[in-house]
Amino acid sequence: MIRFVDVSFSYGERKVFEGINLEIKKGEWVALVGANGSGKSTLVKLLNAILIPTEGHVLIDGLDTRDEGALWEIRRRVGVVFQNPDTQIVASIVEDDIAFGPENLGLDPTEIRQRVDKVLEVLDLVPFRSSPTYALSGGQKQKLAIAGALAMKPEYLVLDEPTSMLDPPSRREINRILNYLYSKGDLTIIYSTHNPEEIVLARRVIALVNGKIAFDGTPLEFFSNPDMVWEFGIRLPIITHLCYRLRKRGLALTFPVFDPEELIDELWRLKSGM
Amino acid sequence: MAIEVRNVSFSYSLDSAFETKVLDGVSFRLEHGENLGILGPTGSGKSTLIQLLNALLIPTQGEVLVDGLNTKDKKNGSKIRELVGVVFQYPENQFFEDKVYDEIAFGARNLKLSEEKVRERVLEAINFLELSADILQKSPFEISGGEKRKVAIASILVRKPKYLVLDEPFAGMDYPGTRALLSLFKNLKGKCSIIVVTHTLDELLGLVDKLLFLYKGRVKAFGDLRSLFDLDELREYVSLIELLSKLKKKGFSFRKSLVDMDSLEEDIVWNVLHGKV
């Protein structure tokens, strides 16, 4: 479990968080949302001890990020993937890049080999194993960053706007992979995103406003309140937005709806007067 | 007055073992006053194409003409860069001045304008972008993400380009930030042609007139926005198009082609109200 206990954080004079309390249990999939500057990235960095709280404690399975002796274990448990795929690659060949983390753990070579093979397979990167990393596309680089994090066998996979620089097909591919990893049941996923279609994929939404938790609930609860969603700086999923507007025009539609097929069925029913 | 791209190919590391062809026989013509959206997956050549438009790169084959000036001709370089302003992806990563004022003024100073004229243009640009004047004395590194993006755009607008190229202008921006920028871009209509490189077209419907779809370095489609809506490849990029085509299959009829969510809403309401026998 991840626990934030009365966590405050400031960059010099600028206060980002004040007295945050939060629990994320194993097996959750959390979407962290909020406007630019709301503290999402800071929260992500507090999770694996890149930043240490100014006050309070961040506990990862009971390990305090203030405890320097626990640093390696915390970073193994919490794998982090950042926004820009270009800044996370350390090696020039794909499989070397994945092996970099496990090598630093001092694992024996057979174990490293097994882990690299496994994550290459999971992320559909097998054909690229000997490719130079610079030759990968943006989407492939981001998959490589996720592969590198997974090779550490983390308990928690934390992704900071992992798809914001990717095109829709690559974005869909990353989301498909996260869905697959999550469905296997042994990974906790925490990602920050502005993308409403991605918020819908998560099981829990936490919204930050000016460094405070302003909402904590399911995606369905979240999007049931469009005025609040807009206030948080997030748009509705396109389909949900259209549904909202059609309701305003007097059409008796269920709200919120995420699935286009569902909206189409309801519209067809209305049209045919059933 | 137009940008003409004539049968352009481009290869990086030409004549070496690493030669990679990223554009292959690309042609299109954009009249001044029209707005263009450039779509395509990562690696399709979008970023290379925009660098060819302002003579940062020169075609390996074919030619690019900006208002008749050929980018191949070195003496046209500075004139072309005055005509075509490019705001690159995550432009705030390229800030280097101590003050926002100097950051914005930099582009105008390069045009060798008097300092008075430069000041005028800086004020005009921040006014247009709805930034307050007290931001000018701040460091560009201490302002918010949305403000940074606007400052970066202002630093190009001060050069008064006839063609404004925006590479993924909404990347990493939240919804209000995106909406604000979008409505500002709409206000530019008539003043300059906008060329937007994007992954997501949904929000741009209503801003762009024409669309260029690049795929593996080739033009998969180019033309009037509405004429391209039946293209399968586009559906991935525009979820509204996908919805529209599914509704058509269900017997919904649409009075006009989809231009944005407003017209889709109108037509659906119309279908439901008039669809009952």
Side-chain angles (χ1 to χ4, degrees), chain A residues 34-37 83-84 134 137-139 161 164-172 194 197 229-239 241-242 245-246 249 251 260-261 263-265 267-273, chain B residues 18 40-43 46 89-90 93 145-146 168 171-177 199-200 202-203 235-237 239-240 242-243 246-247 250-253 261-266 268-269 271-277:
Chain A
N36 291 125
Q83 181 177 40
N84 189 342
Y134 71 77
S137 74
E161 295 197 31
S164 71
M165 295 178 80
L166 305 183
D167 59 33
S170 319
R171 188 173 277 185
R172 224 160 287 165
H194 288 310
E197 277 81 10
V229 171
W230 288 323
E231 217 167 283
F232 292 160
I234 293 161
R235 64 173 175 84
L236 298 179
I238 291 279
I239 297 301
H241 194 190
L242 182 65
R245 291 176 56 156
L246 292 170
R249 296 292 299 271
L251 303 194
E261 301 299 332
L263 179 64
I264 290 167
D265 281 349
L267 286 172
W268 186 76
R269 226 170 289 142
L270 284 177
K271 179 178 156 67
S272 49
Chain B
F18 300 103
T42 28
K46 302 190 297 292
Q89 232 181 90
Y90 289 89
N93 292 347
E168 285 280 337
M173 299 286 286
D174 58 20
Y175 182 58
H199 286 325
T200 43
D202 271 321
E203 315 215 310
R235 300 224 170 103
E236 291 229 41
Y237 290 85
S239 38
L240 291 179
E242 198 174 341
L243 188 78
K246 282 181 177 164
L247 283 171
K250 283 270 188 186
F252 280 67
S253 51
M261 203 192 267
D262 293 337
S263 65
L264 188 61
E265 177 190 321
E266 281 311 318
I268 290 175
V269 170
N271 269 274
V272 171
L273 295 183
H274 301 280
K276 286 174 195 163
V277 188

Side-chain angles (χ1 to χ4, degrees), chain B residues 125-158:
Chain B
I126 64 157
N127 200 22
F128 177 78
L129 288 162
E130 293 170 357
L131 289 165
S132 72
D134 54 332
I135 203 172
L136 292 172
Q137 296 313 314
K138 291 185 181 165
S139 154
F141 301 97
E142 64 171 354
I143 58 182
S144 79
E147 288 167 340
K148 281 183 186 169
R149 189 65 55 91
K150 284 184 171 184
V151 166
I153 294 168
S155 72
I156 300 298
L157 282 183
V158 289

Side-chain angles (χ1 to χ4, degrees), chain A residues 191-211:
Chain A
Y191 65 29
S192 69
T193 178
H194 288 310
N195 184 317
E197 277 81 10
E198 283 171 9
I199 298 173
V200 170
L201 293 176
R203 307 305 193 267
R204 177 180 174 190
V205 183
I206 296 175
L208 292 175
V209 175
N210 298 328

